[in-house]
Amino acid sequence: MDPADVRYKSNGKIKKKDYKRELDRLQEELVKLQHWIEAEGLKVCVVFEGRDAAGKGGVIKRIMRRLNPRVVRIEALGKPTERERGQWYFQRYAERLPTEGEMVLFDRSWYNRAGVERVMGFCTDEEYERFLTQCPTFEQMLVNSGMILIKYWFSISDEEQERRFRKRNQDPKKRWKLSPMDLEARARWEEYSKAKDEMFVHTDIEAAPWHVVHADVKKHARLNCITHLLEQIPYEDLTPDPIELPPREDRGTYDRPPIDSQTWIPAVYGSNPVDEE
């Protein structure tokens, strides 16, 4: 389907059937990109940053859905250990960068220092200023080494973030996403805005520019971000042709042990072979 032929609802949101069709098409292209990265030995690093509840995790999930985790992996670092606190700030992130034939998706990254750490006071002014000075140099070094570095910032309105927070709070399956840090961020919208603006001034460099994703509509953000990601890396279709499956070996004299000699989990749905005897 041509994107120009996609249909939208009266509220401007893409229709569910068209969304699924487009997502499936893009995920097939991502598989082709994966084969290309592996075959060409590319090193691809994709950074996902943005407001809490902006949908970064949802995009990463849909990128990964059809991919091989041995080629494409997610890095979502938690709090630094005591040892990591004593390291050069970028060190623990550098250890998780891709090697040849890999793509790494950072669900938040070294930019924690320019965002949450700055706003919440988890770093000193000196550490913050040092980050703003060193970050462009660090990223320039990555690009100079042959790495493809792509950075996304997910932009969401104050009203939409509040709506998503309230929805999470009402859903027991999503309530775990509302961390104390999220609630604190909710109260410091303006401070986060100023921190983001300052971060862009220093780190929106030619070698690794920021790409802003309008994220108020999740489905649109997912499709737009994946489409843009595919456009950043020229690739060819190296999808393997279907193989001819060899004939199965004759079972010979093998006899399976009695079914009732094994411990089967309860068949809450359907039935177990042992129940059918």
Side-chain angles (χ1 to χ4, degrees):
M1 176 181 244
D2 190 311
D5 297 327
V6 168
R7 296 164 298 173
Y8 296 87
K9 303 176 185 177
S10 58
N11 61 6
K13 296 182 179 180
I14 189 171
K15 289 193 173 182
K16 186 175 182 179
K17 186 175 181 179
D18 287 359
Y19 164 71
K20 289 185 174 181
R21 185 185 295 114
E22 282 297 283
L23 182 60
D24 187 64
R25 179 183 66 81
L26 291 172
Q27 288 174 335
E28 185 174 335
E29 292 301 312
L30 284 169
V31 173
K32 296 176 186 178
L33 175 61
Q34 170 188 264
H35 287 307
W36 183 255
I37 289 172
E38 190 173 18
E40 294 297 306
L42 301 182
K43 297 177 289 185
V44 183
C45 177
V46 189
V47 169
F48 294 85
E49 293 286 347
R51 297 279 191 178
D52 295 308
K56 301 178 296 298
V59 172
I60 293 171
K61 179 180 178 180
R62 273 116 189 126
I63 291 173
M64 285 296 304
R65 179 169 287 172
R66 309 295 183 186
L67 302 184
N68 183 350
R70 293 181 177 86
V71 179
V72 184
R73 57 185 166 86
I74 301 171
E75 289 291 350
L77 279 65
K79 294 180 180 179
T81 64
E82 192 63 35
R83 182 176 183 277
E84 288 171 334
R85 289 192 187 97
Q87 295 175 342
W88 174 50
Y89 177 72
F90 295 95
Q91 188 169 336
R92 72 178 186 136
Y93 295 102
E95 291 174 352
R96 292 164 172 81
L97 290 169
T99 186
E100 291 183 350
E102 282 188 343
M103 178 161 71
V104 174
L105 312 177
F106 275 92
D107 186 356
R108 295 202 179 280
S109 65
W110 46 89
Y111 282 101
N112 279 336
R113 174 135 297 177
V116 62
E117 291 190 18
R118 173 60 171 173
V119 174
M120 298 299 178
F122 296 156
C123 66
T124 65
D125 290 343
E126 182 182 0
E127 289 171 330
Y128 171 70
E129 295 296 337
R130 186 184 305 128
F131 171 84
L132 294 181
T133 300
Q134 292 184 348
C135 185
T137 303
F138 172 68
E139 293 181 351
Q140 185 69 61
M141 290 171 63
L142 296 183
V143 174
N144 290 347
S145 73
M147 188 171 299
I148 298 172
L149 176 59
I150 305 168
K151 303 186 305 193
Y152 289 112
W153 176 269
F154 282 70
S155 178
I156 185 175
S157 66
D158 191 359
E159 296 77 17
E160 179 60 20
Q161 184 188 53
E162 178 68 11
R163 188 190 70 81
R164 293 182 188 179
F165 277 166
R166 290 184 180 278
K167 188 175 180 180
R168 286 181 178 182
N169 195 36
Q170 294 165 1
D171 188 345
K173 301 185 299 298
K174 296 181 178 180
R175 202 170 292 146
W176 63 270
K177 294 183 177 182
L178 278 177
S179 68
M181 202 62 62
D182 292 332
L183 298 178
E184 187 65 27
R186 175 173 173 265
R188 300 194 184 195
W189 177 273
E190 187 173 341
E191 291 179 62
Y192 269 94
S193 296
K194 292 178 180 178
K196 172 257 182 181
D197 292 343
E198 187 69 13
M199 179 184 79
F200 268 44
V201 168
H202 291 84
T203 63
D204 189 20
I205 61 175
E206 183 178 356
W210 280 105
H211 303 286
V212 181
V213 181
H214 180 45
D216 272 9
V217 179
K218 289 182 179 181
K219 289 184 173 67
H220 298 179
R222 293 165 187 167
L223 298 180
N224 289 331
C225 184
I226 296 174
T227 298
H228 184 271
L229 175 61
L230 290 166
E231 292 172 347
Q232 303 313 296
I233 308 170
Y235 63 94
E236 298 176 14
D237 186 359
L238 301 181
T239 306
D241 294 328
I243 62 174
E244 183 177 344
L245 298 176
R248 298 184 64 180
E249 294 183 358
D250 183 28
R251 291 178 60 179
T253 59
Y254 171 73
D255 289 320
R256 181 177 181 174
I259 290 177
D260 58 6
S261 69
Q262 301 167 344
T263 303
W264 296 75
I265 68 168
V268 179
Y269 306 94
S271 61
N272 283 328
V274 68
D275 300 327
E276 299 170 358
E277 290 193 336

Short mmCIF file of all heavy atoms in Angstrom, two decimals, residues 159-209:
data_model
loop_
_atom_site.label_atom_id
_atom_site.label_comp_id
_atom_site.label_asym_id
_atom_site.label_seq_id
_atom_site.Cartn_x
_atom_site.Cartn_y
_atom_site.Cartn_z
N GLU A 159 -0.71 18.10 27.55
CA GLU A 159 -2.07 17.54 27.70
C GLU A 159 -2.08 16.04 27.38
O GLU A 159 -2.73 15.25 28.09
CB GLU A 159 -3.05 18.26 26.77
CG GLU A 159 -3.25 19.74 27.07
CD GLU A 159 -2.11 20.61 26.60
OE1 GLU A 159 -1.31 20.15 25.75
OE2 GLU A 159 -2.01 21.76 27.09
N GLU A 160 -1.34 15.64 26.34
CA GLU A 160 -1.34 14.22 25.97
C GLU A 160 -0.57 13.40 27.00
O GLU A 160 -0.97 12.27 27.32
CB GLU A 160 -0.72 14.04 24.58
CG GLU A 160 -0.62 12.60 24.10
CD GLU A 160 -1.95 11.89 23.99
OE1 GLU A 160 -3.01 12.57 23.92
OE2 GLU A 160 -1.97 10.63 23.96
N GLN A 161 0.52 13.93 27.52
CA GLN A 161 1.24 13.20 28.56
C GLN A 161 0.36 12.99 29.79
O GLN A 161 0.33 11.90 30.36
CB GLN A 161 2.51 13.96 28.97
CG GLN A 161 3.36 13.17 29.98
CD GLN A 161 4.51 13.98 30.54
OE1 GLN A 161 4.29 15.09 31.05
NE2 GLN A 161 5.71 13.46 30.46
N GLU A 162 -0.39 14.02 30.18
CA GLU A 162 -1.28 13.91 31.33
C GLU A 162 -2.35 12.85 31.08
O GLU A 162 -2.68 12.05 31.96
CB GLU A 162 -1.93 15.26 31.62
CG GLU A 162 -2.93 15.27 32.77
CD GLU A 162 -2.28 15.04 34.13
OE1 GLU A 162 -1.03 15.07 34.21
OE2 GLU A 162 -3.01 14.80 35.10
N ARG A 163 -2.87 12.82 29.86
CA ARG A 163 -3.90 11.82 29.53
C ARG A 163 -3.33 10.40 29.64
O ARG A 163 -3.99 9.50 30.18
CB ARG A 163 -4.41 12.07 28.10
CG ARG A 163 -5.62 11.22 27.71
CD ARG A 163 -5.92 11.31 26.24
NE ARG A 163 -4.90 10.65 25.44
CZ ARG A 163 -4.86 9.33 25.25
NH1 ARG A 163 -5.77 8.54 25.79
NH2 ARG A 163 -3.90 8.79 24.50
N ARG A 164 -2.11 10.21 29.17
CA ARG A 164 -1.49 8.89 29.22
C ARG A 164 -1.15 8.48 30.64
O ARG A 164 -1.28 7.31 31.01
CB ARG A 164 -0.25 8.85 28.32
CG ARG A 164 -0.59 8.98 26.85
CD ARG A 164 0.64 8.90 25.97
NE ARG A 164 0.30 9.22 24.58
CZ ARG A 164 1.17 9.24 23.58
NH1 ARG A 164 2.45 8.96 23.80
NH2 ARG A 164 0.78 9.55 22.35
N PHE A 165 -0.70 9.44 31.45
CA PHE A 165 -0.44 9.14 32.85
C PHE A 165 -1.71 8.67 33.56
O PHE A 165 -1.71 7.70 34.31
CB PHE A 165 0.12 10.37 33.56
CG PHE A 165 1.61 10.57 33.40
CD1 PHE A 165 2.21 11.77 33.74
CD2 PHE A 165 2.41 9.55 32.92
CE1 PHE A 165 3.58 11.96 33.59
CE2 PHE A 165 3.79 9.72 32.78
CZ PHE A 165 4.36 10.92 33.11
N ARG A 166 -2.79 9.37 33.31
CA ARG A 166 -4.07 9.01 33.95
C ARG A 166 -4.55 7.64 33.46
O ARG A 166 -5.09 6.85 34.24
CB ARG A 166 -5.12 10.09 33.66
CG ARG A 166 -4.83 11.40 34.39
CD ARG A 166 -5.93 12.43 34.16
NE ARG A 166 -5.64 13.66 34.87
CZ ARG A 166 -5.90 13.86 36.17
NH1 ARG A 166 -6.47 12.90 36.88
NH2 ARG A 166 -5.59 15.02 36.73
N LYS A 167 -4.35 7.36 32.19
CA LYS A 167 -4.75 6.06 31.64
C LYS A 167 -3.93 4.94 32.26
O LYS A 167 -4.46 3.87 32.57
CB LYS A 167 -4.59 6.07 30.12
CG LYS A 167 -5.15 4.85 29.44
CD LYS A 167 -5.08 4.98 27.92
CE LYS A 167 -5.66 3.74 27.25
NZ LYS A 167 -5.60 3.84 25.76
N ARG A 168 -2.64 5.17 32.43
CA ARG A 168 -1.79 4.16 33.08
C ARG A 168 -2.25 3.90 34.51
O ARG A 168 -2.27 2.78 34.97
CB ARG A 168 -0.33 4.64 33.10
CG ARG A 168 0.37 4.58 31.77
CD ARG A 168 1.81 5.06 31.88
NE ARG A 168 2.50 4.95 30.60
CZ ARG A 168 3.78 5.26 30.42
NH1 ARG A 168 4.49 5.72 31.46
NH2 ARG A 168 4.35 5.12 29.23
N ASN A 169 -2.61 4.97 35.19
CA ASN A 169 -3.02 4.84 36.58
C ASN A 169 -4.31 4.04 36.72
O ASN A 169 -4.53 3.36 37.74
CB ASN A 169 -3.22 6.24 37.19
CG ASN A 169 -3.29 6.20 38.70
OD1 ASN A 169 -2.61 5.42 39.35
ND2 ASN A 169 -4.14 7.06 39.26
N GLN A 170 -5.14 4.07 35.70
CA GLN A 170 -6.42 3.35 35.74
C GLN A 170 -6.29 1.90 35.31
O GLN A 170 -7.21 1.11 35.52
CB GLN A 170 -7.43 4.07 34.83
CG GLN A 170 -7.81 5.47 35.32
CD GLN A 170 -8.52 6.29 34.26
OE1 GLN A 170 -8.76 5.82 33.15
NE2 GLN A 170 -8.85 7.53 34.60
N ASP A 171 -5.17 1.53 34.69
CA ASP A 171 -4.99 0.18 34.16
C ASP A 171 -3.98 -0.58 35.01
O ASP A 171 -2.79 -0.25 35.02
CB ASP A 171 -4.49 0.27 32.71
CG ASP A 171 -4.46 -1.10 32.03
OD1 ASP A 171 -4.54 -2.11 32.73
OD2 ASP A 171 -4.35 -1.12 30.79
N PRO A 172 -4.41 -1.63 35.74
CA PRO A 172 -3.47 -2.39 36.59
C PRO A 172 -2.30 -2.98 35.82
O PRO A 172 -1.23 -3.18 36.38
CB PRO A 172 -4.36 -3.50 37.17
CG PRO A 172 -5.75 -2.98 37.08
CD PRO A 172 -5.78 -2.12 35.84
N LYS A 173 -2.50 -3.25 34.53
CA LYS A 173 -1.43 -3.84 33.72
C LYS A 173 -0.36 -2.81 33.36
O LYS A 173 0.75 -3.18 32.97
CB LYS A 173 -2.01 -4.43 32.41
CG LYS A 173 -3.06 -5.51 32.63
CD LYS A 173 -3.50 -6.13 31.31
CE LYS A 173 -4.13 -5.13 30.34
NZ LYS A 173 -5.36 -4.53 30.88
N LYS A 174 -0.68 -1.52 33.48
CA LYS A 174 0.27 -0.48 33.10
C LYS A 174 0.72 0.38 34.26
O LYS A 174 1.58 1.24 34.10
CB LYS A 174 -0.37 0.43 32.03
CG LYS A 174 -0.69 -0.28 30.72
CD LYS A 174 -1.28 0.70 29.72
CE LYS A 174 -1.56 0.03 28.38
NZ LYS A 174 -2.14 0.96 27.39
N ARG A 175 0.13 0.13 35.43
CA ARG A 175 0.41 1.02 36.56
C ARG A 175 1.87 0.98 36.97
O ARG A 175 2.40 1.95 37.54
CB ARG A 175 -0.50 0.64 37.74
CG ARG A 175 -0.70 1.77 38.75
CD ARG A 175 -1.81 1.40 39.73
NE ARG A 175 -3.11 1.36 39.06
CZ ARG A 175 -4.08 0.50 39.39
NH1 ARG A 175 -3.90 -0.36 40.35
NH2 ARG A 175 -5.23 0.54 38.74
N TRP A 176 2.55 -0.14 36.69
CA TRP A 176 3.97 -0.24 37.05
C TRP A 176 4.82 0.79 36.31
O TRP A 176 5.93 1.12 36.74
CB TRP A 176 4.49 -1.65 36.72
CG TRP A 176 4.44 -2.01 35.27
CD1 TRP A 176 3.42 -2.61 34.60
CD2 TRP A 176 5.46 -1.78 34.29
NE1 TRP A 176 3.72 -2.77 33.26
CE2 TRP A 176 4.97 -2.27 33.05
CE3 TRP A 176 6.73 -1.22 34.33
CZ2 TRP A 176 5.71 -2.21 31.87
CZ3 TRP A 176 7.46 -1.16 33.15
CH2 TRP A 176 6.96 -1.65 31.94
N LYS A 177 4.29 1.31 35.18
CA LYS A 177 5.03 2.30 34.41
C LYS A 177 5.08 3.66 35.10
O LYS A 177 5.86 4.51 34.72
CB LYS A 177 4.39 2.46 33.03
CG LYS A 177 4.49 1.22 32.14
CD LYS A 177 3.90 1.51 30.76
CE LYS A 177 4.05 0.34 29.83
NZ LYS A 177 3.52 0.63 28.47
N LEU A 178 4.20 3.86 36.08
CA LEU A 178 4.17 5.14 36.78
C LEU A 178 5.14 5.10 37.96
O LEU A 178 4.76 4.82 39.09
CB LEU A 178 2.75 5.44 37.27
CG LEU A 178 1.78 6.04 36.26
CD1 LEU A 178 0.41 6.21 36.89
CD2 LEU A 178 2.28 7.38 35.73
N SER A 179 6.39 5.38 37.68
CA SER A 179 7.41 5.38 38.74
C SER A 179 7.37 6.70 39.48
O SER A 179 6.84 7.70 38.98
CB SER A 179 8.79 5.17 38.12
OG SER A 179 9.16 6.30 37.35
N PRO A 180 7.95 6.75 40.67
CA PRO A 180 8.05 8.03 41.40
C PRO A 180 8.75 9.10 40.56
O PRO A 180 8.41 10.28 40.65
CB PRO A 180 8.87 7.67 42.64
CG PRO A 180 8.58 6.21 42.86
CD PRO A 180 8.46 5.62 41.49
N MET A 181 9.71 8.67 39.71
CA MET A 181 10.42 9.62 38.87
C MET A 181 9.48 10.21 37.81
O MET A 181 9.56 11.40 37.48
CB MET A 181 11.60 8.93 38.19
CG MET A 181 12.69 9.88 37.74
SD MET A 181 13.43 10.78 39.11
CE MET A 181 14.11 9.44 40.06
N ASP A 182 8.57 9.38 37.29
CA ASP A 182 7.60 9.87 36.32
C ASP A 182 6.69 10.93 36.94
O ASP A 182 6.37 11.95 36.32
CB ASP A 182 6.74 8.72 35.78
CG ASP A 182 7.53 7.75 34.94
OD1 ASP A 182 8.52 8.16 34.33
OD2 ASP A 182 7.17 6.56 34.90
N LEU A 183 6.26 10.65 38.15
CA LEU A 183 5.35 11.58 38.82
C LEU A 183 6.06 12.90 39.12
O LEU A 183 5.46 13.98 39.04
CB LEU A 183 4.83 10.95 40.11
CG LEU A 183 4.00 9.67 39.93
CD1 LEU A 183 3.57 9.12 41.28
CD2 LEU A 183 2.78 9.95 39.06
N GLU A 184 7.34 12.80 39.47
CA GLU A 184 8.11 14.02 39.72
C GLU A 184 8.30 14.81 38.43
O GLU A 184 8.22 16.04 38.40
CB GLU A 184 9.47 13.67 40.33
CG GLU A 184 10.27 14.87 40.79
CD GLU A 184 9.62 15.60 41.96
OE1 GLU A 184 8.87 14.97 42.73
OE2 GLU A 184 9.87 16.82 42.09
N ALA A 185 8.54 14.07 37.32
CA ALA A 185 8.70 14.72 36.03
C ALA A 185 7.42 15.42 35.61
O ALA A 185 7.45 16.49 34.98
CB ALA A 185 9.11 13.68 34.97
N ARG A 186 6.29 14.83 35.96
CA ARG A 186 4.98 15.41 35.65
C ARG A 186 4.85 16.81 36.27
O ARG A 186 4.25 17.71 35.69
CB ARG A 186 3.89 14.48 36.17
CG ARG A 186 2.47 14.98 36.04
CD ARG A 186 1.52 13.86 36.45
NE ARG A 186 0.14 14.31 36.51
CZ ARG A 186 -0.48 14.72 37.62
NH1 ARG A 186 0.20 14.75 38.77
NH2 ARG A 186 -1.73 15.11 37.59
N ALA A 187 5.44 16.95 37.46
CA ALA A 187 5.35 18.23 38.16
C ALA A 187 6.41 19.24 37.70
O ALA A 187 6.36 20.40 38.08
CB ALA A 187 5.48 17.99 39.66
N ARG A 188 7.35 18.77 36.88
CA ARG A 188 8.45 19.65 36.47
C ARG A 188 8.53 19.78 34.95
O ARG A 188 9.61 19.77 34.36
CB ARG A 188 9.78 19.09 37.01
CG ARG A 188 9.84 18.97 38.52
CD ARG A 188 11.25 18.75 38.99
NE ARG A 188 11.32 18.54 40.43
CZ ARG A 188 12.45 18.61 41.14
NH1 ARG A 188 13.57 18.92 40.53
NH2 ARG A 188 12.44 18.38 42.43
N TRP A 189 7.39 19.94 34.34
CA TRP A 189 7.33 20.02 32.89
C TRP A 189 8.22 21.14 32.34
O TRP A 189 8.98 20.95 31.40
CB TRP A 189 5.88 20.24 32.45
CG TRP A 189 5.72 20.42 30.97
CD1 TRP A 189 5.80 21.58 30.26
CD2 TRP A 189 5.50 19.39 30.00
NE1 TRP A 189 5.64 21.33 28.91
CE2 TRP A 189 5.45 20.00 28.74
CE3 TRP A 189 5.32 18.00 30.10
CZ2 TRP A 189 5.24 19.28 27.57
CZ3 TRP A 189 5.10 17.29 28.93
CH2 TRP A 189 5.06 17.92 27.69
N GLU A 190 8.13 22.31 32.93
CA GLU A 190 8.89 23.46 32.41
C GLU A 190 10.39 23.26 32.58
O GLU A 190 11.17 23.59 31.69
CB GLU A 190 8.44 24.73 33.12
CG GLU A 190 9.07 25.99 32.53
CD GLU A 190 8.51 27.27 33.13
OE1 GLU A 190 7.40 27.21 33.73
OE2 GLU A 190 9.16 28.32 32.99
N GLU A 191 10.79 22.69 33.72
CA GLU A 191 12.22 22.45 33.94
C GLU A 191 12.78 21.47 32.91
O GLU A 191 13.89 21.64 32.40
CB GLU A 191 12.45 21.92 35.35
CG GLU A 191 12.18 22.94 36.45
CD GLU A 191 12.40 22.36 37.82
OE1 GLU A 191 13.55 21.95 38.11
OE2 GLU A 191 11.43 22.28 38.61
N TYR A 192 12.01 20.42 32.61
CA TYR A 192 12.44 19.45 31.60
C TYR A 192 12.51 20.11 30.22
O TYR A 192 13.40 19.79 29.42
CB TYR A 192 11.49 18.25 31.57
CG TYR A 192 11.92 17.13 32.49
CD1 TYR A 192 11.42 17.01 33.77
CD2 TYR A 192 12.85 16.17 32.06
CE1 TYR A 192 11.82 15.99 34.62
CE2 TYR A 192 13.26 15.14 32.89
CZ TYR A 192 12.74 15.05 34.17
OH TYR A 192 13.14 14.03 35.00
N SER A 193 11.58 21.00 29.95
CA SER A 193 11.59 21.70 28.66
C SER A 193 12.86 22.52 28.51
O SER A 193 13.51 22.52 27.46
CB SER A 193 10.36 22.60 28.54
OG SER A 193 9.17 21.85 28.53
N LYS A 194 13.22 23.25 29.55
CA LYS A 194 14.43 24.08 29.51
C LYS A 194 15.67 23.20 29.37
O LYS A 194 16.60 23.54 28.63
CB LYS A 194 14.52 24.93 30.77
CG LYS A 194 13.44 26.02 30.85
CD LYS A 194 13.56 26.80 32.15
CE LYS A 194 12.49 27.89 32.24
NZ LYS A 194 12.57 28.63 33.53
N ALA A 195 15.69 22.06 30.08
CA ALA A 195 16.84 21.16 30.00
C ALA A 195 16.98 20.58 28.59
O ALA A 195 18.08 20.47 28.05
CB ALA A 195 16.68 20.03 31.03
N LYS A 196 15.85 20.23 27.99
CA LYS A 196 15.87 19.69 26.62
C LYS A 196 16.38 20.75 25.64
O LYS A 196 17.19 20.46 24.76
CB LYS A 196 14.48 19.20 26.25
CG LYS A 196 14.31 18.81 24.79
CD LYS A 196 13.58 19.89 24.01
CE LYS A 196 13.35 19.52 22.56
NZ LYS A 196 12.67 20.59 21.81
N ASP A 197 15.90 21.97 25.78
CA ASP A 197 16.34 23.04 24.88
C ASP A 197 17.84 23.27 24.98
O ASP A 197 18.53 23.44 23.97
CB ASP A 197 15.59 24.34 25.20
CG ASP A 197 14.10 24.26 24.88
OD1 ASP A 197 13.71 23.36 24.12
OD2 ASP A 197 13.34 25.10 25.40
N GLU A 198 18.35 23.28 26.19
CA GLU A 198 19.79 23.48 26.40
C GLU A 198 20.58 22.31 25.83
O GLU A 198 21.65 22.49 25.24
CB GLU A 198 20.09 23.63 27.89
CG GLU A 198 21.52 24.00 28.23
CD GLU A 198 21.88 25.41 27.80
OE1 GLU A 198 20.99 26.20 27.46
OE2 GLU A 198 23.10 25.72 27.79
N MET A 199 20.05 21.10 25.99
CA MET A 199 20.70 19.91 25.46
C MET A 199 20.82 19.99 23.94
O MET A 199 21.86 19.68 23.35
CB MET A 199 19.90 18.67 25.86
CG MET A 199 20.44 17.36 25.35
SD MET A 199 19.34 15.99 25.80
CE MET A 199 18.06 16.18 24.54
N PHE A 200 19.74 20.44 23.28
CA PHE A 200 19.75 20.54 21.83
C PHE A 200 20.78 21.56 21.36
O PHE A 200 21.43 21.37 20.33
CB PHE A 200 18.35 20.93 21.32
CG PHE A 200 17.49 19.75 20.97
CD1 PHE A 200 17.42 18.65 21.80
CD2 PHE A 200 16.74 19.76 19.81
CE1 PHE A 200 16.62 17.56 21.48
CE2 PHE A 200 15.94 18.67 19.46
CZ PHE A 200 15.88 17.57 20.30
N VAL A 201 20.91 22.66 22.08
CA VAL A 201 21.86 23.71 21.69
C VAL A 201 23.27 23.14 21.57
O VAL A 201 24.01 23.46 20.64
CB VAL A 201 21.84 24.87 22.71
CG1 VAL A 201 23.01 25.81 22.49
CG2 VAL A 201 20.52 25.64 22.62
N HIS A 202 23.62 22.25 22.50
CA HIS A 202 25.00 21.74 22.55
C HIS A 202 25.20 20.44 21.77
O HIS A 202 26.33 20.15 21.35
CB HIS A 202 25.41 21.51 24.01
CG HIS A 202 25.58 22.76 24.80
ND1 HIS A 202 24.53 23.40 25.42
CD2 HIS A 202 26.68 23.51 25.07
CE1 HIS A 202 24.96 24.47 26.04
NE2 HIS A 202 26.27 24.57 25.85
N THR A 203 24.15 19.64 21.58
CA THR A 203 24.36 18.29 21.05
C THR A 203 23.67 18.04 19.71
O THR A 203 23.76 16.92 19.18
CB THR A 203 23.88 17.23 22.06
OG1 THR A 203 22.47 17.39 22.28
CG2 THR A 203 24.61 17.38 23.39
N ASP A 204 22.99 19.02 19.15
CA ASP A 204 22.38 18.85 17.83
C ASP A 204 23.45 19.16 16.79
O ASP A 204 23.44 20.21 16.15
CB ASP A 204 21.18 19.78 17.68
CG ASP A 204 20.38 19.50 16.42
OD1 ASP A 204 20.50 18.38 15.88
OD2 ASP A 204 19.63 20.39 15.97
N ILE A 205 24.39 18.22 16.64
CA ILE A 205 25.56 18.47 15.80
C ILE A 205 25.36 17.88 14.41
O ILE A 205 24.53 16.99 14.20
CB ILE A 205 26.83 17.88 16.45
CG1 ILE A 205 26.69 16.37 16.62
CG2 ILE A 205 27.09 18.55 17.79
CD1 ILE A 205 27.95 15.69 17.14
N GLU A 206 26.13 18.36 13.46
CA GLU A 206 25.98 17.91 12.07
C GLU A 206 26.24 16.42 11.92
O GLU A 206 25.56 15.73 11.17
CB GLU A 206 26.94 18.70 11.17
CG GLU A 206 26.82 18.37 9.70
CD GLU A 206 27.74 19.20 8.82
OE1 GLU A 206 28.41 20.10 9.37
OE2 GLU A 206 27.78 18.95 7.60
N ALA A 207 27.22 15.91 12.65
CA ALA A 207 27.57 14.49 12.53
C ALA A 207 26.50 13.58 13.13
O ALA A 207 26.36 12.42 12.73
CB ALA A 207 28.91 14.22 13.22
N ALA A 208 25.74 14.10 14.10
CA ALA A 208 24.70 13.30 14.76
C ALA A 208 23.58 14.24 15.19
O ALA A 208 23.44 14.57 16.37
CB ALA A 208 25.28 12.57 15.97
N PRO A 209 22.75 14.66 14.24
CA PRO A 209 21.66 15.59 14.57
C PRO A 209 20.53 14.90 15.31
O PRO A 209 20.36 13.68 15.24
CB PRO A 209 21.21 16.08 13.20
CG PRO A 209 21.50 14.93 12.28
CD PRO A 209 22.78 14.32 12.81
#
